[in-house]
Amino acid sequence: MSCLQPKLGVFAKDPPSKAYSPTHSLLALGTSPSPFSPRAKIYLFGRARVHRVLQPPTPLPQGTAYRQLAFVNTHSLLSLDTANELSLWDLTTGAQTSKYTYIKVSSLVTDPSLDWAFLGSASSTGDVQVYDLDRGRPVPFRLPNFAREAYPREMLGDRAGVAAMALHPRDIGKLAVGYAGGVVGVYTFKQGVVQRWCEPPPAARGGLKGRRLTNVVWHPSGTFIMGGYEDGVMVFWDAKEGRVVGVRDVYGMVDGTEQKRELVPLGRVKWACKGSNPDDTGLVVQGGWDRNEQKEKRGISFLDLGPTPVYATSSWEVLGGYIKGRGERVVMEMPPGAEVVDYCLIPRQSPHFDGAQDPLAVMAMLSSGELITMSFPSGWAISPTNMLHPSLSFVHPFVQKIGVASLGRERWLGMVEKRSQGEAILKGGKVGNTRRKMVDVRNVILVAHADSTVRVWDVGFGDEVENPGQLQVDVARAVGRFEDVSVCEVHMADGTGELAAGTKTGEVVVFKWGVNKFHGRDAMMAAVEKNPGGLTDISMRAEPSLKEGLQPFVLYEMAQGPISALCVSDVGFIAVGSEGGHFSIIDLRGPSVIYTSAVTDFIAQEKKSFSLKKSSSSHNKLEFPTAISFGVMTLEGDSYSSICCFVGTNLGHIATFRLLPSGQSYTAKPAGFIKTSPDRVISLNPINSETGLPATATGQAVAGLRSNIQTPGVVVAITQSEIRIFKPASNKGASKSFDDQLCDSARVIHPPNLPPSIVCLFGDRTTRAYAIPSLKELGRASLSMLDPSRTLSSVISKTGELIAWNGPSEIAVMPVYGSGKGLPASTDSLVSPERGTPPRPTISNLQWISGTQYVSPTDLDLLIGGEGRPPSKRTVQAAEVERAGYSGGQQQAGGSSSSSSNQPQQEGWGEYLVRQVNERTEKLNFVDDAMMKLQEASSGWAEDVNKTVKEQKRGLLLGGLKKSFF
């Protein structure tokens, strides 16, 4: 057997690390080891079904997980695990290209335009080391502990360690280093010293021996620096002078010496730009809320600060007012019972400004191990349907129930829903070249989530997925309430695509494909009276954003306990069983309920000849349906074929119902029952006894009843302890017992070009295949990777694919008659050559005139790597592109007659540096000339003004004299 589906495992005890690249539009998730997946993995997801799984060649140490991920360079991913091992991955090949182990790394800072990674140490040394991403190795360059030198009495022990770092968003030559002791130093690479120290006021930190620093964040323009502390307080400094501008928390300004609230420590904090204007900003804060805060207010806080005032013309009061903000905080609320532990911003285009420029959405990691995506900054939940890879939906939120349907290829290709959605989140990558297998059906998985939504998508055969889209239905909206709605059963008709979902409160919702006549209008709150035991039209409860897709049709309020069995036929019938011991059949042509009864009404009691022990054990348990199936066949003693419904119970009874036309509808009557083993019936499979083909109730089979076409059939029933083949309604037939294990999931499969067989999954995580009709065991396989606690929730498709849980939130899709090989390597490409990193924002002209020394990435390469370091791959590629452009321009100017001798020669590293210096000197000369001309023009204008004023004064004086004498 081979696994054909990527897996995603995120466990509640350790939420995943994550990173998003707006350049490549990719999402990376790093997981933790578990009993089901002992090796930590990195999952990469792009648009549609693009994905790749990264694993190191040698397993990580036991218990090691990935704690930080970052996209670097143009085609690399950087990872840092809990064992302080830094690894570099090639996104093109998926291989680990280099790694290095550090000691007590507390902060990792990268920039998409640099070839360097800065790592701060949490140890008492408190130094900052640098890793060369281009060469894949550490460099000798390091920053010593400047805080210990400046504050020798206060920075003792681990308080001298680095707590957080941040690169200047515009001036790449400055690095803000925050120490656990509470101070922040702004280091300049150009001068090689700490240019300025930022100290919090005593009231905010209780002196230098006060609270610990946890965060350092730059304002997008570099005007301010924010330092976050473990007590939830945020201190803001003027980056130019190091003066405190304001102190606040998520609720407002802090002006007293003692805090009135007990705040939780700050988590991740981002200084985000709203829209494309980097001066219109706000703070995105995780944590920092009051411990006595209401649970629904313990989400992510957005503090709208508004437009940044002009620093040169603003007073300290104006700057302090900017820090105060212009309104109350906006809380992005989390689901009940879960708290956010981390988040990731999803910017639209730019990777700069610490990934916080013009965010499209916020992806939050919850304490339960789930993900939730929200719009920014409103905090409205964003459905992952057709926005994220289907594997991510298993934790968005967790899955409660899965089912499978085998739809015809043509029908599935036509089931593409039309829904109003926002901008796509993942747009990167390209699906690899895979051939579609020549099968006429597509296995469609039905996934019911904890938020009462059901998503439907093609699980595939490890081949090309022609329709990669997902369908979504909202059961809670269809029921008419959003509390206490939990989906426990789902089923879809293979021929018509009609879907039914059953809840634990006893409702059944039926969805049919169609156009939403209420599109764009929210008509859900229209008054609908309760109708216990009856059918209610709920078409007005369609989702306003859904234009065409699976629309709510009718609601059946059975109200007899949780739904225990559900089956939707291809000919307009739905059979429902509940744990309260009731059974109903619905005809969708009315629609109407054509039969409803307690199970005990159509299954007679055991005969008195049974032993008292066996009889009492059966009578003491409530009997309810556990398996339902529809078929067309000739029943025992009949001379004609009819539509039949087969119902299996938890006590091993199998009842048969005969459905006959009656006017414009049908009637259902019990035809008999048999007794199998005294345990739960798992699967009922009607087949043609002559051909072995399925004898299910299809449109073609029902149409043949008019011509009196008879179908000789039998039912293959699988219980927990036996397989039985019998001719309904009362012939017990032949059986085979399972002596050693109980069966948890089973089905008769019809794989292409192979005879039908019975496949069973047992509690010992083995799967076995049996021949029909001999019931001889054909083979078995051990599936030790499966989760033993969830084998009861496994399903088997009609074509022979076993879909089983191998973790809390991951499934494996395995063909029963597979090759025995593992999952082939993904051929999807992640890096798109046309997607390049945009230029990094730089300092403004006013900052340059005021004396700020501009440091380019090339200058930083020289300052950190030294003069002997060869040019990086990025620099070489840029030079090649520049030379190619120059060469193309020369060829166009000179025509085709230009010889190869006129082409520019290969430029060495020294020549490249000389050229760069000359170009910068030339540009500076141009600026100097422009400033001189501006000065000359200003002087001339001042002289002209003085001359004009003197002439006016002289004329005024002479005019007064003339008037006096004449």
Side-chain angles (χ1 to χ4, degrees), residues 768-824:
R768 309 174 192 177
Y770 298 90
I772 298 176
S774 65
L775 300 183
K776 177 183 178 182
E777 183 175 328
L778 300 175
R780 66 175 62 191
S782 177
L783 305 175
S784 59
M785 79 289 291
L786 300 184
D787 183 354
S789 64
R790 305 188 71 178
T791 52
L792 286 170
S793 302
S794 303
V795 293
I796 302 173
S797 70
K798 184 174 68 173
T799 55
E801 279 71 30
L802 172 63
I803 304 174
W805 294 95
N806 64 333
S809 56
E810 58 186 6
I811 62 171
V813 182
M814 298 165 285
V816 175
Y817 295 106
S819 60
K821 299 180 181 179
L823 179 69

Side-chain angles (χ1 to χ4, degrees), residues 44 165 277 389 417 453 460 471 504 508 566 601 800 868 938 963:
L44 292 164
M165 298 186 300
N277 181 12
H389 192 280
E417 73 173 20
T453 59
L471 310 179
K504 289 185 177 181
V508 176
L566 187 61
D601 292 343
S938 301
K963 185 176 180 181

Side-chain angles (χ1 to χ4, degrees), residues 331-509:
V331 181
M332 305 178 190
E333 298 182 3
M334 299 296 112
E339 295 181 1
V340 59
V341 295
D342 200 0
Y343 71 86
C344 176
L345 292 180
I346 309 294
R348 282 185 169 85
Q349 293 180 344
S350 174
H352 302 299
F353 298 110
D354 197 20
Q357 182 179 12
D358 192 15
L360 168 68
V362 180
M363 182 174 290
M365 274 58 68
L366 306 181
S367 56
S368 61
E370 297 169 289
L371 301 177
I372 182 172
T373 306
M374 300 166 291
S375 61
F376 178 87
S378 61
W380 293 102
I382 298 176
S383 172
T385 304
N386 296 321
M387 299 289 282
L388 301 175
H389 192 280
S391 291
L392 286 170
S393 66
F394 279 85
V395 290
H396 203 300
F398 283 143
V399 176
Q400 294 181 328
K401 182 73 177 181
I402 61 171
V404 65
S406 298
L407 270 66
R409 174 174 171 267
E410 292 78 9
R411 174 166 293 278
W412 175 246
L413 291 179
M415 296 180 70
V416 179
E417 73 173 20
K418 298 178 181 179
R419 184 185 297 269
S420 301
Q421 285 186 314
E423 184 178 349
I425 294 177
L426 300 179
K427 297 172 284 188
K430 181 180 179 181
V431 179
N433 295 323
T434 54
R435 298 181 60 184
R436 185 182 65 84
K437 292 187 177 181
M438 302 305 295
V439 290
D440 296 330
V441 297
R442 303 299 300 180
N443 285 333
V444 177
I445 189 172
L446 319 173
V447 186
H449 295 265
D451 60 353
S452 71
T453 59
V454 179
R455 299 187 179 99
V456 184
W457 41 278
D458 186 356
V459 76
F461 297 98
D463 61 348
E464 177 189 0
V465 179
E466 297 175 286
N467 178 12
Q470 304 174 56
L471 310 179
Q472 174 182 298
V473 298
D474 190 342
V475 178
R477 183 181 182 87
V479 170
R481 67 178 189 276
F482 294 99
E483 297 81 19
D484 192 26
V485 180
S486 179
V487 179
C488 57
E489 289 292 334
V490 288
H491 192 265
M492 174 177 275
D494 293 342
T496 62
E498 294 171 337
L499 175 68
T503 69
K504 289 185 177 181
T505 49
E507 298 101 347
V508 176
V509 184

Side-chain angles (χ1 to χ4, degrees), residues 599-617:
V599 174
T600 54
D601 292 343
F602 57 82
I603 294 182
Q605 299 298 320
E606 304 291 344
K607 296 181 179 180
K608 295 182 179 180
S609 60
F610 283 92
S611 65
L612 178 61
K613 180 178 179 181
K614 184 175 181 180
S615 178
S616 61
S617 65

Side-chain angles (χ1 to χ4, degrees), residues 306-324:
T308 306
V310 179
Y311 178 80
T313 60
S314 300
S315 64
W316 293 110
E317 289 76 14
V318 172
L319 298 179
Y322 167 73
I323 300 301
K324 182 179 180 181

Side-chain angles (χ1 to χ4, degrees), residues 55 257 294 496:
Q55 288 184 325
T257 57
Q294 298 177 358
T496 62

